[in-house]
Amino acid sequence: MGRRSLADRRLLITGASSGIGRALALELAAHRTHLLLVARRAEPLEQLASEALSLGASSAQLLAGDVTDPQFRCEILQLCSQNWEGLDVLINNAGISAHGRFAENTEATLRRIMEVNFFAATELTRLALPLLRSGNDPIVVNCGSILGHRGLPRNCEYCASKFALRGWTESIRPELLREGIELLLVSPGSTDTEFFDHLISQTGKIPWDQSKKISAQQVAQQTVHAIRSRRREIFPNWRGRALVLLNRLCPRLVDRVLRRYG
Ligand SMILES: NC(=O)c1ccc[n+]([C@@H]2O[C@H](COP(=O)([O-])OP(=O)(O)OC[C@H]3O[C@@H](n4cnc5c(N)ncnc54)[C@H](OP(=O)(O)O)[C@@H]3O)[C@@H](O)[C@H]2O)c1
C-alpha cells in the first residue's frame, strides 16, 4: 500500500485544547481534513476550530466534555455518525499525570489517571469501531509515552497507564488489521506543553532534568508523517528513544541509575 492521503479524511482528536492535540489539529488542518475536536475546555477548542479553518481544514467542529464519562463518549460518536458515514482517523491523545512517590499518592489519583489515559482510549475506540469499519483507509493513533516503555520512579501511576496503553495497542493491532484498521503508537519523550501545569497531584518533584523538551509541533509533524507513511510506532524525541534502547540492552544499568531517584 502507498502513502495514506489525508485530504478530506474525517478525524476525531481527543485532548485537542492544548499541547500535542492542538498542534496535531493545526498540522492536519493543512491537509484539508474534517476535524472533530474534543476536550473539556470549550474556549480553546473554539479558537482552535477557527484557526484550523483558516489553515485550510474542510470543516472543524468541537465537542466539550470529559472523555472519562461514558455518556459523553457516546455523544462524541453520535456526533460523528450524524456528520459522517465513517471515521478515518481516531486520535486518542487526552492525557494527565501526577508526580510523587506511590506511597504518598492515593488510589483516587491512580484510578483517575487510568481512566483518562487508558480506559477513555480503549472505550472510545470500542465505540468507534463500527464507524472506523466504514472509514476510508482507517487508522487509530494512540498517544503513549517513553514512560510506557521504561518505568521511572515518582511517576508510577502515569507509567502504569502508558504501559497499559502500549500493551493494549500491541494486543489489538492484529485484530484491527484483520478489519483493515491500522494502528499507530506515538511515544513522545519530554514535550513542551501545558502537561506539567495540569498535574492532578504533586506530592513530590521529579528529580531529573526536564529542560530538554521538544516542541508539540515537532511531535505533531512526526505523527502526521507516520500516519501518512503507515508506521506502527514512533519515538519523536531521540533522548527518549535512547533511553528505551539503553533499557533494552542494559536494564540493570538503568535500574542502578534510577535507584538514586527512588
Ligand atoms: N508533554 C509531555 O512531555 C508528554 C510526553 C509523553 C507523552 N505525552 C502525552 O501526550 C498527550 C498530550 O499531552 P500534552 O503534553 O499535549 O499535554 P496537555 O497540553 O496538558 O494536553 C492534554 C490534553 O488532554 C485533555 N484532557 C485531559 N483530561 C481530559 C479529560 N478528562 N477529558 C477530555 N480531555 C482531557 C486536555 O484538555 P482539557 O483540560 O481542556 O480537558 C488537553 O487538551 C498525553 O496523552 C500525554 O500523556 C506528553
Short mmCIF file of all heavy atoms in Angstrom, two decimals, residues 14-22 38-42 44-45 64-69 72 92-97 112 115-117 120 142-147 158 161-162 165 186-198 210 213-214 216 219, ligand 1:
data_model
loop_
_atom_site.label_atom_id
_atom_site.label_comp_id
_atom_site.label_asym_id
_atom_site.label_seq_id
_atom_site.Cartn_x
_atom_site.Cartn_y
_atom_site.Cartn_z
N THR A 14 -8.92 13.61 20.52
CA THR A 14 -9.20 13.94 21.93
C THR A 14 -8.01 14.71 22.50
O THR A 14 -6.88 14.57 22.03
CB THR A 14 -9.46 12.68 22.79
OG1 THR A 14 -8.23 11.95 22.94
CG2 THR A 14 -10.52 11.79 22.18
N GLY A 15 -8.29 15.53 23.51
CA GLY A 15 -7.22 16.34 24.11
C GLY A 15 -6.71 17.38 23.14
O GLY A 15 -5.51 17.65 23.06
N ALA A 16 -7.65 18.00 22.40
CA ALA A 16 -7.25 18.94 21.34
C ALA A 16 -7.11 20.37 21.85
O ALA A 16 -6.66 21.23 21.10
CB ALA A 16 -8.27 18.88 20.20
N SER A 17 -7.45 20.64 23.12
CA SER A 17 -7.47 22.04 23.56
C SER A 17 -6.09 22.62 23.82
O SER A 17 -5.94 23.83 23.95
CB SER A 17 -8.34 22.18 24.82
OG SER A 17 -7.81 21.37 25.85
N SER A 18 -5.06 21.76 23.94
CA SER A 18 -3.70 22.30 24.15
C SER A 18 -2.66 21.28 23.71
O SER A 18 -2.99 20.15 23.33
CB SER A 18 -3.49 22.67 25.63
OG SER A 18 -3.66 21.54 26.46
N GLY A 19 -1.41 21.71 23.75
CA GLY A 19 -0.27 20.82 23.55
C GLY A 19 -0.26 20.04 22.25
O GLY A 19 -0.50 20.58 21.17
N ILE A 20 0.02 18.76 22.38
CA ILE A 20 0.21 17.90 21.21
C ILE A 20 -1.08 17.78 20.40
O ILE A 20 -1.07 17.82 19.16
CB ILE A 20 0.73 16.50 21.65
CG1 ILE A 20 2.13 16.63 22.28
CG2 ILE A 20 0.75 15.52 20.49
CD1 ILE A 20 2.65 15.38 22.98
N GLY A 21 -2.23 17.66 21.09
CA GLY A 21 -3.51 17.52 20.39
C GLY A 21 -3.81 18.75 19.55
O GLY A 21 -4.24 18.65 18.39
N ARG A 22 -3.55 19.91 20.12
CA ARG A 22 -3.77 21.17 19.40
C ARG A 22 -2.83 21.26 18.18
O ARG A 22 -3.26 21.59 17.07
CB ARG A 22 -3.52 22.35 20.36
CG ARG A 22 -3.71 23.68 19.76
CD ARG A 22 -3.40 24.81 20.74
NE ARG A 22 -3.07 26.01 19.99
CZ ARG A 22 -3.95 26.79 19.39
NH1 ARG A 22 -5.23 26.54 19.51
NH2 ARG A 22 -3.58 27.82 18.67
N VAL A 38 -12.05 17.43 20.55
CA VAL A 38 -12.67 17.11 21.83
C VAL A 38 -11.71 17.42 22.98
O VAL A 38 -10.52 17.14 22.89
CB VAL A 38 -13.05 15.61 21.86
CG1 VAL A 38 -13.47 15.17 23.25
CG2 VAL A 38 -14.14 15.30 20.86
N ALA A 39 -12.24 18.02 24.04
CA ALA A 39 -11.52 18.23 25.32
C ALA A 39 -12.55 18.82 26.27
O ALA A 39 -13.70 19.08 25.87
CB ALA A 39 -10.33 19.17 25.15
N ARG A 40 -12.16 19.09 27.53
CA ARG A 40 -13.15 19.66 28.46
C ARG A 40 -13.33 21.16 28.26
O ARG A 40 -14.43 21.67 28.40
CB ARG A 40 -12.71 19.38 29.92
CG ARG A 40 -12.87 17.93 30.34
CD ARG A 40 -12.11 17.65 31.60
NE ARG A 40 -10.70 17.98 31.44
CZ ARG A 40 -9.78 17.88 32.39
NH1 ARG A 40 -10.12 17.47 33.59
NH2 ARG A 40 -8.52 18.19 32.15
N ARG A 41 -12.28 21.89 27.93
CA ARG A 41 -12.37 23.35 27.84
C ARG A 41 -12.87 23.79 26.47
O ARG A 41 -12.21 23.53 25.45
CB ARG A 41 -10.99 23.98 28.10
CG ARG A 41 -10.53 23.88 29.56
CD ARG A 41 -9.07 24.25 29.69
NE ARG A 41 -8.21 23.28 29.05
CZ ARG A 41 -6.92 23.49 28.76
NH1 ARG A 41 -6.37 24.65 29.02
NH2 ARG A 41 -6.21 22.55 28.18
N ALA A 42 -14.05 24.44 26.47
CA ALA A 42 -14.67 24.81 25.19
C ALA A 42 -13.94 25.97 24.51
O ALA A 42 -13.77 25.98 23.29
CB ALA A 42 -16.13 25.17 25.41
N PRO A 44 -10.70 27.21 24.35
CA PRO A 44 -9.55 26.94 23.46
C PRO A 44 -9.93 26.09 22.26
O PRO A 44 -9.32 26.22 21.18
CB PRO A 44 -8.54 26.22 24.36
CG PRO A 44 -9.22 25.90 25.63
CD PRO A 44 -10.43 26.77 25.74
N LEU A 45 -10.95 25.25 22.41
CA LEU A 45 -11.38 24.44 21.26
C LEU A 45 -12.00 25.33 20.18
O LEU A 45 -11.77 25.12 18.99
CB LEU A 45 -12.41 23.37 21.69
CG LEU A 45 -11.88 22.18 22.50
CD1 LEU A 45 -13.04 21.23 22.81
CD2 LEU A 45 -10.78 21.43 21.77
N ALA A 64 -17.22 19.78 23.77
CA ALA A 64 -16.52 19.91 25.05
C ALA A 64 -17.11 18.94 26.06
O ALA A 64 -18.32 18.83 26.22
CB ALA A 64 -16.65 21.35 25.56
N GLY A 65 -16.23 18.21 26.74
CA GLY A 65 -16.68 17.27 27.76
C GLY A 65 -15.53 16.42 28.24
O GLY A 65 -14.40 16.55 27.77
N ASP A 66 -15.87 15.54 29.18
CA ASP A 66 -14.85 14.71 29.83
C ASP A 66 -14.87 13.31 29.22
O ASP A 66 -15.88 12.60 29.29
CB ASP A 66 -15.19 14.65 31.34
CG ASP A 66 -14.11 13.96 32.14
OD1 ASP A 66 -13.44 13.06 31.61
OD2 ASP A 66 -13.95 14.33 33.32
N VAL A 67 -13.75 12.91 28.65
CA VAL A 67 -13.71 11.61 27.95
C VAL A 67 -13.84 10.41 28.89
O VAL A 67 -14.02 9.29 28.44
CB VAL A 67 -12.43 11.44 27.08
CG1 VAL A 67 -12.46 12.30 25.85
CG2 VAL A 67 -11.16 11.66 27.89
N THR A 68 -13.75 10.66 30.20
CA THR A 68 -13.92 9.53 31.13
C THR A 68 -15.41 9.26 31.40
O THR A 68 -15.74 8.28 32.05
CB THR A 68 -13.21 9.79 32.49
OG1 THR A 68 -13.86 10.89 33.14
CG2 THR A 68 -11.74 10.09 32.29
N ASP A 69 -16.27 10.14 30.92
CA ASP A 69 -17.71 9.98 31.13
C ASP A 69 -18.30 9.13 29.97
O ASP A 69 -18.28 9.57 28.82
CB ASP A 69 -18.34 11.39 31.15
CG ASP A 69 -19.86 11.34 31.25
OD1 ASP A 69 -20.43 10.23 31.28
OD2 ASP A 69 -20.47 12.42 31.28
N PHE A 72 -20.65 10.91 27.71
CA PHE A 72 -20.00 11.86 26.79
C PHE A 72 -19.35 11.13 25.62
O PHE A 72 -19.42 11.59 24.48
CB PHE A 72 -18.98 12.72 27.55
CG PHE A 72 -18.26 13.70 26.66
CD1 PHE A 72 -18.95 14.72 26.01
CD2 PHE A 72 -16.89 13.59 26.42
CE1 PHE A 72 -18.30 15.61 25.15
CE2 PHE A 72 -16.23 14.47 25.58
CZ PHE A 72 -16.94 15.49 24.94
N ASN A 92 -6.42 9.10 19.96
CA ASN A 92 -6.59 9.06 21.41
C ASN A 92 -5.39 9.75 22.04
O ASN A 92 -4.33 9.14 22.22
CB ASN A 92 -6.64 7.60 21.90
CG ASN A 92 -7.91 6.90 21.49
OD1 ASN A 92 -9.01 7.40 21.73
ND2 ASN A 92 -7.79 5.73 20.87
N ASN A 93 -5.56 11.04 22.35
CA ASN A 93 -4.42 11.84 22.80
C ASN A 93 -4.60 12.40 24.22
O ASN A 93 -3.62 12.69 24.89
CB ASN A 93 -4.20 12.98 21.79
CG ASN A 93 -3.29 14.05 22.33
OD1 ASN A 93 -2.07 13.86 22.42
ND2 ASN A 93 -3.86 15.20 22.73
N ALA A 94 -5.85 12.55 24.69
CA ALA A 94 -6.07 13.17 26.01
C ALA A 94 -5.25 12.42 27.07
O ALA A 94 -5.22 11.20 27.09
CB ALA A 94 -7.55 13.12 26.38
N GLY A 95 -4.59 13.19 27.94
CA GLY A 95 -3.78 12.53 28.97
C GLY A 95 -3.49 13.46 30.13
O GLY A 95 -3.48 14.69 30.00
N ILE A 96 -3.25 12.84 31.29
CA ILE A 96 -2.91 13.58 32.51
C ILE A 96 -1.83 12.80 33.28
O ILE A 96 -1.58 11.63 32.98
CB ILE A 96 -4.15 13.77 33.44
CG1 ILE A 96 -4.81 12.41 33.72
CG2 ILE A 96 -5.13 14.76 32.86
CD1 ILE A 96 -5.83 12.46 34.86
N SER A 97 -1.27 13.47 34.29
CA SER A 97 -0.24 12.79 35.08
C SER A 97 -0.25 13.30 36.52
O SER A 97 -1.00 14.22 36.87
CB SER A 97 1.13 13.01 34.43
OG SER A 97 2.12 12.25 35.09
N ARG A 112 -7.92 7.80 38.56
CA ARG A 112 -8.22 8.90 37.63
C ARG A 112 -7.27 8.85 36.42
O ARG A 112 -7.69 9.02 35.27
CB ARG A 112 -8.09 10.24 38.37
CG ARG A 112 -8.38 11.46 37.52
CD ARG A 112 -9.85 11.58 37.17
NE ARG A 112 -10.08 12.65 36.19
CZ ARG A 112 -11.14 12.73 35.42
NH1 ARG A 112 -12.10 11.83 35.48
NH2 ARG A 112 -11.27 13.72 34.55
N GLU A 115 -8.25 6.10 34.20
CA GLU A 115 -9.49 6.43 33.49
C GLU A 115 -9.22 7.29 32.25
O GLU A 115 -9.74 7.03 31.18
CB GLU A 115 -10.48 7.18 34.40
CG GLU A 115 -11.21 6.31 35.41
CD GLU A 115 -12.18 5.32 34.78
OE1 GLU A 115 -12.57 5.48 33.61
OE2 GLU A 115 -12.55 4.35 35.48
N VAL A 116 -8.40 8.35 32.44
CA VAL A 116 -8.17 9.28 31.32
C VAL A 116 -7.23 8.65 30.29
O VAL A 116 -7.52 8.63 29.09
CB VAL A 116 -7.57 10.62 31.82
CG1 VAL A 116 -7.29 11.56 30.64
CG2 VAL A 116 -8.50 11.30 32.82
N ASN A 117 -6.09 8.14 30.78
CA ASN A 117 -5.03 7.72 29.84
C ASN A 117 -5.28 6.36 29.22
O ASN A 117 -4.77 6.07 28.13
CB ASN A 117 -3.67 7.67 30.55
CG ASN A 117 -3.23 9.03 31.06
OD1 ASN A 117 -3.96 10.00 30.93
ND2 ASN A 117 -2.06 9.10 31.65
N ALA A 120 -10.42 5.62 28.83
CA ALA A 120 -11.09 6.50 27.86
C ALA A 120 -10.67 6.13 26.44
O ALA A 120 -11.51 6.10 25.53
CB ALA A 120 -10.77 7.97 28.15
N ASN A 142 -2.71 6.11 18.96
CA ASN A 142 -2.70 6.23 20.42
C ASN A 142 -1.48 7.01 20.87
O ASN A 142 -0.35 6.69 20.46
CB ASN A 142 -2.68 4.84 21.07
CG ASN A 142 -4.01 4.12 20.89
OD1 ASN A 142 -5.05 4.76 20.79
ND2 ASN A 142 -3.98 2.80 20.85
N CYS A 143 -1.70 8.00 21.70
CA CYS A 143 -0.57 8.77 22.22
C CYS A 143 -0.09 8.11 23.51
O CYS A 143 -0.72 8.21 24.55
CB CYS A 143 -0.96 10.23 22.45
SG CYS A 143 0.52 11.20 22.79
N GLY A 144 1.01 7.39 23.39
CA GLY A 144 1.61 6.75 24.56
C GLY A 144 2.68 7.65 25.13
O GLY A 144 2.50 8.87 25.20
N SER A 145 3.81 7.05 25.50
CA SER A 145 4.92 7.83 26.07
C SER A 145 6.15 6.94 26.14
O SER A 145 6.02 5.70 26.17
CB SER A 145 4.54 8.29 27.48
OG SER A 145 5.66 8.82 28.14
N ILE A 146 7.30 7.57 26.21
CA ILE A 146 8.53 6.83 26.52
C ILE A 146 8.32 6.07 27.83
O ILE A 146 8.82 4.97 28.03
CB ILE A 146 9.71 7.83 26.67
CG1 ILE A 146 10.10 8.38 25.30
CG2 ILE A 146 10.91 7.18 27.34
CD1 ILE A 146 10.54 7.33 24.31
N LEU A 147 7.51 6.69 28.73
CA LEU A 147 7.29 6.07 30.04
C LEU A 147 6.32 4.89 29.96
O LEU A 147 5.97 4.31 30.98
CB LEU A 147 6.80 7.12 31.05
CG LEU A 147 7.74 8.32 31.23
CD1 LEU A 147 7.35 9.14 32.45
CD2 LEU A 147 9.20 7.88 31.34
N TYR A 158 1.34 7.26 36.20
CA TYR A 158 1.38 7.62 34.77
C TYR A 158 2.05 6.50 33.97
O TYR A 158 1.53 6.08 32.93
CB TYR A 158 2.15 8.94 34.62
CG TYR A 158 2.27 9.42 33.20
CD1 TYR A 158 1.18 9.97 32.54
CD2 TYR A 158 3.47 9.32 32.50
CE1 TYR A 158 1.28 10.42 31.23
CE2 TYR A 158 3.58 9.77 31.20
CZ TYR A 158 2.49 10.32 30.56
OH TYR A 158 2.60 10.76 29.27
N SER A 161 -0.21 3.62 33.43
CA SER A 161 -1.27 3.87 32.44
C SER A 161 -0.73 3.78 31.01
O SER A 161 -1.39 3.27 30.11
CB SER A 161 -1.91 5.24 32.67
OG SER A 161 -1.04 6.28 32.29
N LYS A 162 0.51 4.25 30.81
CA LYS A 162 1.07 4.24 29.45
C LYS A 162 1.58 2.84 29.07
O LYS A 162 1.55 2.46 27.91
CB LYS A 162 2.17 5.29 29.32
CG LYS A 162 1.64 6.73 29.41
CD LYS A 162 0.69 7.10 28.27
CE LYS A 162 0.21 8.54 28.34
NZ LYS A 162 -0.66 8.93 27.24
N LEU A 165 -1.58 1.16 28.02
CA LEU A 165 -1.99 1.61 26.69
C LEU A 165 -1.15 0.91 25.61
O LEU A 165 -1.67 0.48 24.58
CB LEU A 165 -1.85 3.13 26.58
CG LEU A 165 -2.41 3.75 25.31
CD1 LEU A 165 -3.94 3.76 25.33
CD2 LEU A 165 -1.92 5.19 25.13
N VAL A 186 2.29 6.45 19.23
CA VAL A 186 3.25 7.56 19.29
C VAL A 186 3.79 7.61 20.72
O VAL A 186 3.02 7.70 21.67
CB VAL A 186 2.55 8.90 18.94
CG1 VAL A 186 3.53 10.05 19.03
CG2 VAL A 186 1.94 8.83 17.55
N SER A 187 5.09 7.52 20.86
CA SER A 187 5.69 7.50 22.20
C SER A 187 6.62 8.71 22.37
O SER A 187 7.85 8.58 22.23
CB SER A 187 6.46 6.19 22.41
OG SER A 187 5.59 5.09 22.38
N PRO A 188 6.05 9.87 22.69
CA PRO A 188 6.90 11.06 22.86
C PRO A 188 7.72 10.98 24.15
O PRO A 188 7.33 10.31 25.10
CB PRO A 188 5.89 12.22 22.96
CG PRO A 188 4.55 11.64 22.65
CD PRO A 188 4.63 10.18 22.94
N GLY A 189 8.83 11.70 24.14
CA GLY A 189 9.55 11.98 25.38
C GLY A 189 9.09 13.35 25.86
O GLY A 189 8.03 13.84 25.43
N SER A 190 9.90 14.00 26.71
CA SER A 190 9.51 15.31 27.25
C SER A 190 9.16 16.30 26.14
O SER A 190 9.97 16.55 25.25
CB SER A 190 10.65 15.90 28.08
OG SER A 190 10.63 15.30 29.33
N THR A 191 7.97 16.85 26.23
CA THR A 191 7.48 17.77 25.19
C THR A 191 7.01 19.05 25.88
O THR A 191 6.41 19.00 26.96
CB THR A 191 6.31 17.11 24.42
OG1 THR A 191 6.73 15.81 24.00
CG2 THR A 191 5.91 17.92 23.20
N ASP A 192 7.27 20.17 25.22
CA ASP A 192 6.97 21.47 25.82
C ASP A 192 5.48 21.80 25.64
O ASP A 192 5.08 22.34 24.61
CB ASP A 192 7.85 22.52 25.13
CG ASP A 192 7.79 23.83 25.88
OD1 ASP A 192 7.25 23.84 27.01
OD2 ASP A 192 8.29 24.83 25.34
N THR A 193 4.68 21.44 26.64
CA THR A 193 3.23 21.68 26.60
C THR A 193 2.77 22.10 28.00
O THR A 193 3.59 22.21 28.91
CB THR A 193 2.45 20.39 26.22
OG1 THR A 193 2.60 19.45 27.28
CG2 THR A 193 2.94 19.78 24.92
N GLU A 194 1.45 22.23 28.16
CA GLU A 194 0.90 22.59 29.48
C GLU A 194 0.81 21.37 30.41
O GLU A 194 0.30 21.48 31.53
CB GLU A 194 -0.52 23.14 29.31
CG GLU A 194 -0.61 24.41 28.52
CD GLU A 194 -2.06 24.79 28.23
OE1 GLU A 194 -2.99 24.27 28.88
OE2 GLU A 194 -2.27 25.63 27.34
N PHE A 195 1.25 20.23 29.91
CA PHE A 195 1.07 18.95 30.62
C PHE A 195 1.47 19.04 32.10
O PHE A 195 0.75 18.58 32.98
CB PHE A 195 1.92 17.90 29.90
CG PHE A 195 1.65 16.49 30.30
CD1 PHE A 195 0.42 15.90 30.07
CD2 PHE A 195 2.64 15.73 30.91
CE1 PHE A 195 0.17 14.59 30.43
CE2 PHE A 195 2.40 14.41 31.27
CZ PHE A 195 1.17 13.84 31.02
N PHE A 196 2.65 19.66 32.35
CA PHE A 196 3.19 19.66 33.72
C PHE A 196 2.49 20.71 34.60
O PHE A 196 2.66 20.72 35.80
CB PHE A 196 4.71 19.84 33.67
CG PHE A 196 5.36 18.75 32.86
CD1 PHE A 196 5.72 18.96 31.52
CD2 PHE A 196 5.56 17.48 33.40
CE1 PHE A 196 6.28 17.93 30.76
CE2 PHE A 196 6.11 16.46 32.64
CZ PHE A 196 6.48 16.68 31.31
N ASP A 197 1.68 21.59 33.98
CA ASP A 197 0.87 22.54 34.77
C ASP A 197 -0.45 21.90 35.18
O ASP A 197 -1.18 22.45 36.00
CB ASP A 197 0.54 23.81 33.95
CG ASP A 197 1.78 24.47 33.40
OD1 ASP A 197 2.81 24.39 34.09
OD2 ASP A 197 1.73 25.03 32.29
N HIS A 198 -0.79 20.78 34.53
CA HIS A 198 -2.10 20.17 34.76
C HIS A 198 -2.01 18.91 35.63
O HIS A 198 -2.94 18.11 35.62
CB HIS A 198 -2.75 19.77 33.42
CG HIS A 198 -3.09 20.95 32.55
ND1 HIS A 198 -3.32 20.84 31.20
CD2 HIS A 198 -3.24 22.27 32.83
CE1 HIS A 198 -3.58 22.03 30.69
NE2 HIS A 198 -3.53 22.92 31.66
N GLN A 210 14.34 18.23 33.29
CA GLN A 210 13.21 18.23 32.35
C GLN A 210 13.29 19.40 31.38
O GLN A 210 12.31 19.77 30.75
CB GLN A 210 11.89 18.32 33.12
CG GLN A 210 11.53 17.03 33.81
CD GLN A 210 10.20 17.17 34.48
OE1 GLN A 210 10.07 17.84 35.49
NE2 GLN A 210 9.19 16.58 33.91
N LYS A 213 13.25 19.71 26.25
CA LYS A 213 11.97 19.26 25.67
C LYS A 213 11.94 19.56 24.18
O LYS A 213 12.56 20.53 23.73
CB LYS A 213 10.82 20.01 26.34
CG LYS A 213 10.66 19.65 27.79
CD LYS A 213 9.48 20.40 28.38
CE LYS A 213 9.27 20.00 29.82
NZ LYS A 213 8.95 21.11 30.68
N ILE A 214 11.16 18.76 23.44
CA ILE A 214 10.92 19.13 22.05
C ILE A 214 9.55 19.82 21.98
O ILE A 214 8.78 19.78 22.94
CB ILE A 214 11.00 17.91 21.09
CG1 ILE A 214 9.94 16.86 21.42
CG2 ILE A 214 12.37 17.30 21.10
CD1 ILE A 214 9.82 15.78 20.35
N ALA A 216 5.65 20.71 20.75
CA ALA A 216 4.45 19.94 20.38
C ALA A 216 4.34 19.86 18.86
O ALA A 216 3.87 18.86 18.30
CB ALA A 216 3.22 20.60 20.97
N VAL A 219 6.36 16.99 17.53
CA VAL A 219 5.67 15.71 17.75
C VAL A 219 4.55 15.57 16.71
O VAL A 219 4.37 14.52 16.10
CB VAL A 219 5.09 15.62 19.18
CG1 VAL A 219 4.30 14.33 19.36
CG2 VAL A 219 6.20 15.71 20.22
N1 LIG B 1 4.18 16.69 27.45
C1 LIG B 1 4.95 15.62 27.55
O1 LIG B 1 6.11 15.70 27.99
C2 LIG B 1 4.43 14.28 27.11
C3 LIG B 1 5.35 13.22 26.97
C4 LIG B 1 4.89 11.98 26.55
C5 LIG B 1 3.56 11.79 26.29
N2 LIG B 1 2.68 12.81 26.43
C6 LIG B 1 1.27 12.53 26.16
O2 LIG B 1 0.79 13.43 25.19
C7 LIG B 1 -0.62 13.56 25.32
C8 LIG B 1 -0.98 15.04 25.24
O3 LIG B 1 -0.40 15.71 26.33
P1 LIG B 1 0.23 17.17 26.20
O4 LIG B 1 1.66 17.08 26.51
O5 LIG B 1 -0.19 17.79 24.95
O6 LIG B 1 -0.44 17.89 27.48
P2 LIG B 1 -1.61 18.99 27.60
O7 LIG B 1 -1.24 20.22 26.89
O8 LIG B 1 -1.91 19.07 29.07
O9 LIG B 1 -2.81 18.30 26.82
C9 LIG B 1 -3.62 17.31 27.40
C10 LIG B 1 -4.97 17.37 26.71
O10 LIG B 1 -5.81 16.36 27.27
C11 LIG B 1 -7.08 16.96 27.57
N3 LIG B 1 -7.71 16.23 28.67
C12 LIG B 1 -7.20 15.94 29.88
N4 LIG B 1 -8.09 15.29 30.62
C13 LIG B 1 -9.22 15.17 29.86
C14 LIG B 1 -10.49 14.61 30.08
N5 LIG B 1 -10.81 14.01 31.24
N6 LIG B 1 -11.40 14.68 29.08
C15 LIG B 1 -11.10 15.29 27.91
N7 LIG B 1 -9.91 15.81 27.64
C16 LIG B 1 -8.98 15.78 28.61
C17 LIG B 1 -6.73 18.41 27.95
O11 LIG B 1 -7.82 19.28 27.71
P3 LIG B 1 -8.83 19.84 28.81
O12 LIG B 1 -8.03 20.20 30.01
O13 LIG B 1 -9.44 21.01 28.10
O14 LIG B 1 -9.80 18.74 29.05
C18 LIG B 1 -5.66 18.71 26.91
O15 LIG B 1 -6.26 19.08 25.70
C19 LIG B 1 -0.99 12.89 26.64
O16 LIG B 1 -1.54 11.62 26.39
C20 LIG B 1 0.34 12.74 27.35
O17 LIG B 1 0.36 11.65 28.23
C21 LIG B 1 3.08 14.05 26.83
#
